[in-house]
Amino acid sequence: MFRLLFDHNEAVAQFVADLTPGCEAGFGNCKAIGVIEDGGDLVAGMVFHDWQPGPGLIQISSASKTPRWLTADVRHIMFSYPFDQIGCQMVVLQVSAKNERMVRIAKAFGFTPYLIKRMRGRDEDGYVFTLTDDDWRNSKFTRKIHGQA
């Protein structure tokens, strides 16, 4: 079982940065949510960064030590924060094209993929994924919550 960790932005952001290649500079001013295992170990984190209130955009980065952390409850909180709490209209996610598992997850969540050649360096392509609030609210994950069949 997992529980969420709030109000430890720096520690969770550092955890995610440490597990993310090319993220040595960290995230700067951000909001982060950690995921803790029963034993008290931090096993995953989500970092919301580069908030742009004008256009209503925020980026999300995440990393984990286990694939089991992404439960329905965690997923709900992960997208409730940007869309319901701070009023974003779009979440942006950057992923290496080599990270096939995360590419598959992003597509399953309803993100729209844009492949960018050399985005992660001369020899590595990457995706910029976008997810609008409308797409999230109409996704298979939230239809029941928002009263849709």
Side-chain angles (χ1 to χ4, degrees):
M1 194 64 169
F2 299 104
R3 62 185 170 88
L4 296 175
L5 175 68
F6 299 95
D7 301 322
H8 290 82
N9 297 323
E10 289 181 25
V12 174
Q14 187 63 56
F15 172 87
V16 172
D18 289 347
L19 292 176
T20 305
C23 196
E24 293 79 16
F27 298 100
N29 185 24
C30 64
K31 180 80 167 181
I33 302 171
V35 180
I36 298 178
E37 255 181 338
D38 281 341
D41 293 333
L42 184 62
V43 295
M46 301 157 273
V47 181
F48 300 90
H49 54 98
D50 298 321
W51 169 227
Q52 298 177 39
L57 302 177
I58 199 163
Q59 288 199 53
I60 185 172
S61 297
S62 65
S64 69
K65 293 182 176 181
T66 174
R68 298 177 303 128
W69 72 279
L70 200 50
T71 65
D73 288 341
V74 170
R75 188 175 54 240
H76 175 72
I77 295 296
M78 178 190 307
F79 293 105
S80 178
Y81 172 72
F83 294 135
D84 299 331
Q85 292 183 35
I86 64 172
C88 285
Q89 63 91 19
M90 182 182 288
V91 171
V92 177
L93 169 69
Q94 295 183 39
V95 179
S96 167
K98 294 179 181 179
N99 189 343
E100 294 175 7
R101 184 172 188 279
M102 191 62 232
V103 168
R104 189 175 59 253
I105 290 170
K107 289 178 179 177
F109 282 4
F111 279 85
T112 300
Y114 300 93
L115 180 65
I116 311 295
K117 298 286 185 185
R118 296 185 176 188
M119 187 178 95
R120 309 206 35 112
R122 179 170 295 280
D123 300 319
E124 188 172 354
D125 299 340
Y127 283 95
V128 172
F129 286 98
T130 61
L131 181 67
T132 66
D133 55 348
D134 295 331
D135 288 342
W136 175 249
R137 288 190 177 95
N138 290 313
S139 76
K140 64 183 175 184
F141 299 108
T142 59
R143 285 186 195 124
K144 290 180 185 174
I145 294 170
H146 295 285
Q148 301 167 5

